Amino acid sequence: MSLTYKRILVAIDGSQEASWAFKKSLEICKRNNAALIITHVIDTRTFATVEAYDRTVAEKAEKYAEQLMSEYKLHAEQAGVKEVFTTISYGSPKVKIAKEIAPKHHVDLIICGATGLNAVERFFIGSVSEHITRYAKCDVLVVRTNKDSI
């Protein structure tokens, strides 16, 4: 059994915790010479609250996701990660990351922030990181603090 990771998935949602998770993923990728898969899931349930489904809301979310992914990809490459991939999905982040995206990309480690952006969902349903930890078939690292503040 190997103690190194080959394919690392980091979940990005624009939150501060996700940014910390990304920084940690860069360190682990470089130490393990691993590929990095950066993912963002556009939560389609947020569109359900929009009266008469407004296409521009979805387009803005998509544009934001693409911009976020390209910035993170560039940052990872500049930091010295040799293989960097990005993926944007639609649906429930907690379900997509653990049950679809990670298996599809054969990842052996998922890294995510402790909280993320959606406080209402956390209160009623439980956090995305909690769900990923429960359902992922690989190791999960939940990042709680900024590495610079330790």
Side-chain angles (χ1 to χ4, degrees):
M1 186 178 97
S2 173
L3 295 176
T4 60
Y5 295 108
K6 299 289 178 216
R7 300 183 59 77
I8 297 170
L9 175 72
V10 63
I12 301 297
D13 64 2
S15 68
Q16 187 60 59
E17 288 84 355
S19 175
W20 297 339
F22 176 73
K23 287 179 187 173
K24 185 77 75 176
S25 75
L26 295 179
E27 293 174 10
I28 296 170
C29 277
K30 288 191 287 186
R31 268 201 311 263
N32 290 270
N33 197 24
L36 180 63
I37 298 97
I38 307 167
T39 190
H40 177 77
V41 179
I42 297 171
D43 195 336
T44 49
R45 293 162 307 164
T46 58
F47 305 142
T49 61
V50 177
E51 199 70 41
Y53 180 74
D54 185 357
R55 181 69 198 145
T56 59
V57 173
E59 287 167 2
K60 283 179 185 166
E62 200 169 297
K63 192 169 282 188
Y64 172 74
E66 287 168 1
Q67 182 182 341
L68 201 61
M69 293 294 98
S70 66
E71 287 171 11
Y72 275 106
K73 182 175 191 207
L74 180 64
H75 189 87
E77 289 168 344
Q78 288 174 340
V81 178
K82 291 176 181 59
E83 281 186 274
V84 184
F85 306 94
T86 61
T87 171
I88 298 171
S89 267
Y90 293 85
S92 165
K94 57 172 47 170
V95 173
K96 286 278 186 181
I97 292 165
K99 295 183 178 174
E100 290 179 31
I101 299 168
K104 178 183 175 188
H105 293 277
H106 308 288
V107 302
D108 45 18
L109 176 64
I110 300 171
I111 301 176
C112 58
T115 55
L117 292 176
N118 197 337
V120 174
E121 181 179 278
R122 261 197 327 275
F123 180 76
F124 288 110
I125 309 167
S127 73
V128 172
S129 57
E130 179 187 356
H131 195 272
I132 292 170
T133 304
R134 186 175 294 136
Y135 293 103
K137 302 271 191 262
C138 63
D139 290 351
V140 177
L141 173 62
V142 179
V143 178
R144 296 189 181 282
T145 55
N146 182 353
K147 74 175 194 70
D148 299 330
S149 68
I150 298 171

